[in-house]
Amino acid sequence: MTRHPKQVLVVGRGGREHALAWCLAQSVGASGTAPTVWAYPGSDGMADVAARWTVEDETQVFDAARAAGMDLVVIGPEQMLADDWADRFRAAGVPAWGAGAESVRLETSKQFAKDFMLRHGIPTGRAVLARTADAVRQAVTALPVVLKFDGLAAGKGVAICQSEAEVEAFLEAVFVEGRFGEGPVLVEEYLEGPEVSVMVAVSDGAYCCFPPARDYKRRNDGDDGPNTGGMGAVASRQLLDDAVWRTIEETVIQPTLRGLVEDGLPYRGFLYFGLMLTARGPMMLEYNCRFGDPEAQAILPLVEGDVAGFLADAAAGQLQPDRIAFADGWSVSVVQAAGAYPLGGSVGDKITGLDAVREAQVFHAGTRLGEDGCYETDGGRVLAVSARGATRAEALERVYAGVEQVRFAGAHWRRDIGRLHFDAAMRKGGADD
Ligand code: AMP
Ligand code: GLY
């Protein structure tokens, strides 16, 4: 059966959710009509594509979605997936796109994910789980080493330690300050190479890969400064050559899907493969059970076709890859963040120039409408500008022309998104345009 959802609810309020809602709102299926897209809680900035949906009693959101006649719910943020929102919508009779909490342990527990990879022969770095600071010290046999707090930490629970002093600083944050809460630490072998993220729509063992992306996690140009949730991303099928792409599918993606079925882990949702292209071949760093942010803002502009219908079918266990298609070119997304990000955000600074952006799309994250009806800042990552091009150079020209139009006090962005990591050494893992 081919589904044509009429009312789609996007759960979340960030840049990823704005991009998802934007993409869903353009889904024109064979019926010729796009669905009405709602957002919960949504944001002012998403209003161009998704009206805000409200419920009086938040604990009733699942039943209220059914009563409102939502044909499909797409859940963006990891916290809601970890809190089992997808299964709770399903239990209320609403078709939901997102894995249930049991399977989301692939993201919420580094140890669970590592055991899963080892059990199913998926290439990944060696690792030891340590429950005390002393156990971590003993497990560190070489430097650099990667220390990962075993829980959800908004991308901030991972430290790449070059020295003993850096190991000690992370141990202090985890075991003395309790910065991420309670939990052990995975001590992992340091892997080298270009990184790539692959988002895959997964439905009961069937799958459809979206074009790969590379995100830029450090705050500053040249991959310098602190880790962030992501300062931008570049996406294109051409990011990887065919041989590497095949190896990833055969050695990582397919064994993962077989593993989910074998382990009895139901999965209908996006699955994010974070990979390192090492000299030993592609190796898994992490799974996330959702679309990446800002990968969504780069990848989704390349998606064409009836995305809402595709996801509704996949949510019902009938994934049909030919309901969507992917553009051949390149897409780049550049995040404009508050000056204080990632340590803090900005509130109430006027944002100008949004209407002057041409040949690019603005996805709102930390913004709100001020009393004067103009957008102002309201967060750390404020917005992302995304643009497509037939070549990487064309996408870059358009995206940075867009970025130049948008201004707010203290705005910070990287100038090397989609540029860094495209030198000769990096091309070992993939193709350039
Ligand atoms: P994770 O949350 O596990 O993806 O880690 C966040 C980031 O830390 C990754 O995107 C990589 O940049 C880096 N990272 C994670 N694991 C390793 C590793 N074993 N070797 C080198 N870098 C890593
Ligand atoms: N950009 C990395 C993530 O979404 O986890």
Side-chain angles (χ1 to χ4, degrees), residues 110 146 148 158 160 188-191 195 217 276 285-286:
K110 302 276 183 204
V146 184
K148 300 183 172 182
V158 174
I160 296 163
E188 190 172 287
E189 172 191 11
Y190 175 75
L191 300 172
E195 276 184 66
K217 290 197 173 69
M276 190 77 95
L285 298 178
E286 64 163 345

Side-chain angles (χ1 to χ4, degrees), residues 211 235-239 302 326-331 388-392 395:
S236 172
R237 176 59 190 79
Q238 298 165 55
L239 203 58
L302 293 169
F326 304 109
D328 279 338
W330 291 75
S331 176
R388 253 169 73 161
T391 61
R392 189 163 57 88

Side-chain angles (χ1 to χ4, degrees), residues 16 215 217 229-230 272 286 288 290-295 381:
R16 164 182 52 211
D215 80 333
K217 290 197 173 69
Y272 169 134
E286 64 163 345
N288 293 315
R290 52 179 174 79
F291 229 96
D293 183 343
E295 285 91 337
R381 287 192 287 181

Side-chain angles (χ1 to χ4, degrees), residues 13-17 78 154-156 215-219 227-233 290-297 333-346 351 363-368 376-384 408 411-412:
R13 53 154 307 156
R16 164 182 52 211
E17 288 74 29
E78 54 268 36
K156 288 154 198 142
D215 80 333
Y216 293 78
K217 290 197 173 69
R218 301 296 197 92
R219 181 183 186 278
N227 251 324
T228 71
M231 294 300 295
R290 52 179 174 79
F291 229 96
D293 183 343
E295 285 91 337
Q297 295 90 311
S333 182
V334 176
V335 170
Q336 288 189 295
Y341 185 71
L343 295 176
S346 134
I351 305 170
F363 294 118
H364 289 248
T367 72
R368 65 180 187 201
E376 55 189 40
T377 58
D378 186 24
R381 287 192 287 181
V382 173
L383 52 85
F408 53 89
H412 167 76

Side-chain angles (χ1 to χ4, degrees), residues 49 119 179 309 375:
V49 288
R119 188 163 60 247
R179 196 179 296 167
Y375 279 106

Side-chain angles (χ1 to χ4, degrees), residues 93-177:
V94 184
W97 183 244
E102 192 193 0
S103 304
V104 173
R105 281 180 297 166
L106 283 175
E107 170 165 4
T108 55
S109 167
K110 302 276 183 204
Q111 178 65 28
F112 183 84
K114 188 60 81 175
D115 288 345
F116 177 92
M117 292 177 217
L118 295 176
R119 188 163 60 247
H120 298 293
I122 295 157
T124 185
R126 283 184 299 276
V128 173
L129 191 74
R131 297 188 184 277
T132 64
D134 267 339
V136 172
R137 289 185 191 103
Q138 272 183 16
V140 175
T141 51
L143 289 169
V145 68
V146 184
L147 303 183
K148 300 183 172 182
F149 173 75
D150 191 20
L152 270 189
K156 288 154 198 142
V158 174
I160 296 163
C161 303
Q162 310 283 346
S163 66
E164 277 175 27
E166 287 175 20
V167 171
E168 289 304 321
F170 190 76
L171 293 180
E172 174 93 11
V174 172
F175 293 107
V176 182
E177 292 168 25

